[in-house]
Amino acid sequence: MKVHILDDWFDTLRSLPCFEKLAGHDVTVWTDHEPDPDALAVRVREAECLVLFRERTQIGAPLLDQLPNLKLVSQRSVYPHVDVAACTRNDVMLCSNMHAGAPSYAAAEMTLALMLAHYRQIPQQAASLQAGQWQMGVGRTLRGRTLGLYGYGRIANAVAGYAQAIGMNVQWWASEEGRARAAADGQQVAQSRADFFATSDIISLHVRLKPATRGIITADDLAAMSPRALLVNTSRSGLIAPGVLEAEIARGRIYAAVDVFDSEPMVDADNILATHPNVLATPHIGYVTEDEFDLQFSDIFDQVNAFAAGAPIHVINPEVG
């Protein structure tokens, strides 16, 4: 098959063991991001299969309607960036392994790293030393602090394990069903939503973005956070209502550590989330490790080979074919 891989910004996949699974296919790797569907359609006109890096590119009707040769979109995990109906209408199969029970440990580690980096002022201390100075301030300790985890899922549970290992207290908030599962598992669930936001030193979001969760974190939620509290978001920017985090950060009362943005790649040097001293911002690297890529793309390339062999797996729209 003619396989086109989109958005491999650092040409990483060729160096990973899983890439051998594409031997025998005609593979093209695109190492930049093309957001315009018309320009992208010209690039991938001959593609029979598109391989995606999570949500880096929107796959919708404006693109799909221009790709008569396309038969397969292969990716991993959730797919809010893919217009499934448009795929089906164009006779394009979407395959995505939902990997039940397997959290992204890379994302969980990133969450812990952001908490540590903020509390110990690691970026600022390193910059001070590089500037020929010594210590620039005094950090704080995580041990004994209360971590509030919003969303009772796989990644959040991994983060909870890390936090408890270093002596943090963990409390939870989630959907009604999620809170019930947490309570049944013997976890500490906050008495109320307001109490959760008011009593957590750090709040970390771990919820999938879908219509029901878009904007689930409100201005009232952030206003309830205590002064100097930290909001960590390694999930999706859209979980927070538009402009709410920016407005709260501008007040200078709370802190944030964010790995996700409303529009990505985010290269706006004037964005308050990239420039404000109360924000530690990273460019969506939570899942970006060689190990995680090899795990994810091994699944993706298995899907490509299964489709080519006439026995597709992890099919989202089985009405195709």
Side-chain angles (χ1 to χ4, degrees):
M1 295 178 67
K2 293 182 178 179
V3 178
H4 284 237
I5 299 174
L6 304 184
D7 298 303
D8 187 1
W9 296 335
F10 301 104
D11 204 9
T12 305
L13 297 185
R14 297 180 196 272
S15 67
L16 300 181
C18 66
F19 197 75
E20 295 180 2
K21 292 186 175 184
L22 292 184
H25 295 289
D26 180 358
V27 181
T28 301
V29 179
W30 297 97
T31 59
D32 62 344
H33 176 66
E34 178 50 73
D36 180 71
D38 294 330
L40 183 58
V42 173
R43 284 187 173 192
V44 301
R45 178 79 66 186
E46 302 303 317
E48 296 171 288
C49 169
L50 291 181
V51 166
L52 308 185
F53 263 79
R54 296 296 293 269
E55 296 148 61
R56 290 180 177 178
T57 290
Q58 294 289 317
I59 306 298
L63 174 65
L64 294 165
D65 290 348
Q66 300 184 66
L67 300 178
N69 297 312
L70 187 64
K71 297 300 178 186
L72 172 67
V73 173
S74 186
Q75 64 134 58
R76 195 173 190 262
S77 195
V78 294
Y79 41 89
H81 53 299
V82 180
D83 186 334
V84 179
C87 285
T88 302
R89 178 167 50 79
N90 282 279
D91 200 30
V92 175
M93 183 173 287
L94 172 63
C95 293
S96 188
N97 185 352
M98 302 305 290
H99 57 96
S104 170
Y105 290 107
E109 290 176 5
M110 184 66 187
T111 302
L112 177 64
L114 288 173
M115 291 160 49
L116 285 165
H118 168 77
Y119 261 68
R120 298 306 300 271
Q121 304 173 327
I122 292 174
Q124 300 94 322
Q125 298 285 6
S128 179
L129 193 63
Q130 291 168 358
Q133 302 170 18
W134 195 231
Q135 298 174 7
M136 51 67 61
V138 179
R140 293 184 286 169
T141 318
L142 286 177
R143 185 177 182 84
R145 308 278 178 184
T146 296
L147 170 63
L149 291 167
Y150 194 113
Y152 193 69
R154 296 168 293 185
I155 295 177
N157 270 279
V159 174
Y162 300 156
Q164 290 164 339
I166 59 175
M168 298 187 75
N169 305 310
V170 175
Q171 67 175 349
W172 298 85
W173 195 254
S175 65
E176 184 176 353
E177 186 272 336
R179 298 197 303 274
R181 286 191 292 113
D185 290 341
Q187 303 293 336
Q188 179 182 340
V189 178
Q191 293 183 353
S192 68
R193 183 186 183 95
D195 186 63
F196 171 81
F197 280 93
T199 61
S200 297
D201 297 298
I202 302 172
I203 290 174
S204 188
L205 307 181
H206 300 283
V207 179
R208 282 184 171 174
L209 181 61
K210 51 188 179 182
T213 61
R214 184 172 292 278
I216 197 170
I217 306 300
T218 68
D220 289 342
D221 292 330
L222 299 190
M225 293 175 66
S226 62
R228 300 187 76 193
L230 172 68
L231 179 75
V232 181
N233 191 1
T234 57
S235 293
R236 291 295 181 269
S237 179
L239 296 171
I240 305 174
V244 163
L245 180 58
E246 291 86 345
E248 193 63 40
I249 288 296
R251 295 186 183 97
R253 199 180 60 85
I254 68 169
Y255 295 86
V258 296
D259 188 46
V260 288
F261 299 88
D262 289 340
S263 179
E264 298 181 359
M266 200 288 290
V267 292
D268 178 9
D270 296 323
N271 188 306
I272 188 173
L273 297 183
T275 61
H276 197 282
N278 281 18
V279 181
L280 172 58
T282 50
H284 205 158
I285 57 173
Y287 74 103
V288 180
T289 69
E290 292 179 0
D291 312 83
E292 186 72 14
F293 281 171
D294 193 55
L295 173 67
Q296 293 191 13
F297 284 91
S298 183
D299 286 345
I300 291 170
F301 297 157
D302 283 344
Q303 292 170 173
V304 174
N305 288 331
F307 180 89
I313 57 175
H314 308 141
V315 180
I316 302 302
N317 55 344
E319 58 269 36
V320 171

